[in-house]
Amino acid sequence: MKVAIVIDSTTKLREGFSSRIDIYTIPVRVFIDDEEFQDSDEITDKILSALDEGKKLETSLPKVDYVEDLFERLHKQYDMIYVLSVSSLLSGTYSLLSTIANKYENIVVFDSKTVSIQNTYILERMVNDISNGKNIDEDDIISYRDDSLFLISVFDITRLHKSGRVGKIISLIGKMIHVKPIITIARSGEVQLVQKAISAKKIAEILEEKVDNFIEKVKTKNPGPIRIYAAVGREEYKEYVYRISKKYDVKPYFLEIGPGVLTHVGTEGFGILIGFER
């Protein structure tokens, strides 16, 4: 059976990753001072410049006609197309993709209930299982997700305040600008506050504790090797990742921060994912 996977461009492919399954990417749209760009237009550099210059930044859904044309073409070329979407509670992308896919019997859209590097992990698990002849369903996506821990640390919440997309977190933090939140994406697909810290040292301690607890809990049912993925806003934040990877003797993979996270969180932070292989 000929199978393809479709992702949106908030899911970044790991450097050196090779897939026996064809993967297609739907570009996310970004507006900088109301001027539209697509993720394929070297958007990261443009977002970084806009952040430095204090410009207005917004993200938007993929273009409808682009998705319609892609699905129409793919449904004729493949027996099955799996579409992995960013969490439906963080973006309207899932609703858009599902609506367009409804007219095709061989296109299935999954709500990953997460974003960024956790979607990268889910994607790679999908590729592995599909390559081994497995038919993927919603339970598999949930299983992949449960085999991973995704934590985001934000050192400066100024951008979170401006974005307006994580109001629940801001309401929990209040006006304590000096607080450095550690957040995750809950199983429901919402942004969730894990813990608050007031120093870089405390962040490192919290991260290590959460990772240790997760690995201890999951390894009893999954004794396989672990992977570590990370995306950093600044080079110096790699030290937090190296500290954990050194402890578990695992080489970390660093990925580009997607435009969605970069636009709404900024560069003052990083994300780390711990995932088990099966």
Side-chain angles (χ1 to χ4, degrees):
M1 185 168 69
K2 194 174 181 183
V3 179
I5 298 175
V6 177
I7 57 177
D8 64 70
S9 60
T10 61
T11 303
K12 298 300 181 182
L13 297 179
R14 172 168 55 88
E15 185 177 352
F17 173 69
S18 61
S19 171
R20 293 162 52 190
I21 308 299
D22 292 334
I23 299 173
Y24 296 85
T25 300
I26 297 172
V28 169
R29 291 188 291 165
V30 177
F31 289 85
I32 302 175
D33 279 351
D34 297 324
E35 182 180 359
E36 180 179 333
F37 299 91
Q38 290 195 31
D39 196 10
S40 57
D41 299 330
E42 299 177 348
I43 192 61
T44 298
D45 289 340
K46 288 181 170 58
I47 293 175
L48 291 173
S49 296
L51 287 170
D52 288 340
E53 297 167 17
K55 293 183 177 180
K56 178 183 175 183
L57 275 168
E58 295 178 306
T59 55
S60 186
L61 302 181
K63 289 185 175 180
V64 172
D65 56 353
Y66 184 97
V67 179
E68 288 177 336
D69 291 345
L70 179 64
F71 283 6
E72 177 64 23
R73 177 163 52 89
L74 295 185
H75 103 93
K76 297 175 182 178
Q77 297 178 4
Y78 296 89
D79 300 305
M80 177 60 69
I81 301 98
Y82 296 113
V83 183
L84 182 66
S85 170
V86 63
S87 171
S88 61
L89 294 181
L90 299 179
S91 168
T93 300
Y94 172 76
S95 178
L96 169 65
L97 298 178
S98 296
T99 299
I100 298 173
N102 276 341
K103 68 177 183 178
Y104 302 109
E105 293 184 358
N106 61 337
I107 300 181
V108 177
V109 181
F110 295 123
D111 180 356
S112 72
K113 298 189 184 300
T114 188
V115 69
S116 189
I117 54 179
Q118 194 163 39
N119 268 356
T120 300
Y121 171 77
I122 291 172
L123 170 65
E124 293 192 13
R125 290 286 299 274
M126 289 176 67
V127 168
N128 182 69
D129 281 353
I130 294 169
S131 298
N132 290 324
K134 183 178 179 61
N135 294 320
I136 304 296
D137 59 29
E138 195 73 42
D139 287 340
D140 294 307
I141 304 300
I142 295 172
S143 176
Y144 303 149
R145 197 182 182 290
D146 288 348
D147 279 343
S148 64
L149 172 69
F150 182 31
L151 297 170
I152 303 168
S153 181
V154 185
F155 290 82
D156 184 338
I157 64 173
T158 302
R159 189 63 210 167
L160 285 177
H161 275 282
K162 289 182 178 180
S163 74
R165 294 287 292 273
V166 283
K168 182 178 179 181
I169 297 300
I170 293 303
S171 66
L172 289 171
I173 298 172
K175 296 182 180 180
M176 301 168 66
I177 301 299
H178 63 283
V179 167
K180 300 169 175 57
I182 296 173
I183 61 180
T184 189
I185 309 299
R187 278 183 108 236
S188 62
E190 294 179 290
V191 176
Q192 180 182 63
L193 180 65
V194 174
Q195 206 162 331
K196 294 178 284 188
I198 57 174
S199 69
K201 180 182 178 182
K202 187 61 177 178
I203 285 177
E205 292 174 355
I206 293 171
L207 290 175
E208 191 166 343
E209 177 189 356
K210 298 300 180 184
V211 170
D212 287 348
N213 291 342
F214 170 74
I215 291 177
E216 192 65 31
K217 177 183 176 181
V218 176
K219 75 177 183 180
T220 56
K221 66 174 182 176
N222 186 0
I226 65 173
R227 306 178 190 176
I228 297 180
Y229 298 165
V232 299
R234 297 184 182 275
E235 280 293 309
E236 57 262 36
Y237 298 151
K238 287 184 177 181
E239 290 304 316
Y240 293 90
V241 180
Y242 287 135
R243 174 171 172 164
I244 292 173
S245 64
K246 182 178 180 180
K247 180 175 182 178
Y248 289 98
D249 194 26
V250 177
K251 175 187 175 182
Y253 295 101
F254 288 95
L255 293 90
E256 180 184 345
I257 296 180
V261 175
L262 195 58
T263 297
H264 300 295
V265 178
T267 60
E268 295 298 330
F270 68 93
I272 183 171
L273 176 132
I274 312 297
F276 279 82
E277 298 182 31
R278 282 190 182 272

